[in-house]
């Protein structure tokens, strides 16, 4: 799920969560990653990482120009292989 929110089903989460088919947050997904604005599109890559775009310019305190890549557990990728 993506958009503008600060929690999902009572769990603190900022604008993006990976869901299971039953609607619950996927086990191991990092819900502490924060975005300073909305996540508007996502693309899951074959390795389970996620490309996110949106109106955000900051992800968990680090500058991101409307694009970030998260690893399979939802943690931002900060160095190679960034793309």
């Amino acid at each position: 799920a993506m958009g503008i929110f600060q929690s999902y089903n009572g769990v603190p989460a900022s604008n993006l969560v990976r869901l299971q088919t039953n609607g619950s947050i996927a086990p191991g997904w990092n819900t502490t990653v924060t975005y300073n604005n909305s996540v508007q599109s996502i693309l899951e890559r074959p390795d389970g990482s996620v490309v996110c775009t949106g109106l955000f310019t900051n992800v968990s305190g680090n500058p991101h120009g409307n694009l970030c890549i998260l690893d399979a557990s939802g943690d931002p990728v900060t160095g190679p292989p960034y793309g």
Side-chain angles (χ1 to χ4, degrees):
M2 63 185 168
I4 300 175
F5 53 88
Q6 296 305 310
S7 66
Y8 182 83
N9 283 346
V11 176
S14 173
N15 303 334
L16 178 68
V17 291
R18 176 175 276 167
L19 301 178
Q20 300 187 97
T21 56
N22 67 3
S24 64
I25 297 173
W29 182 258
N30 185 352
T31 59
T32 65
V33 175
T34 59
Y35 303 84
N36 69 330
N37 209 325
S38 67
V39 175
Q40 295 186 324
S41 65
I42 56 174
L43 171 70
E44 185 170 4
R45 298 180 347 169
D47 65 358
S49 65
V50 179
V51 178
C52 305
T53 64
L55 299 178
F56 57 86
T57 57
N58 186 291
V59 179
S60 291
N62 296 302
H64 284 266
N66 309 101
L67 170 74
C68 75
I69 297 176
L70 307 175
D71 66 19
S73 64
D75 294 312
V77 175
T78 57
Y82 189 79

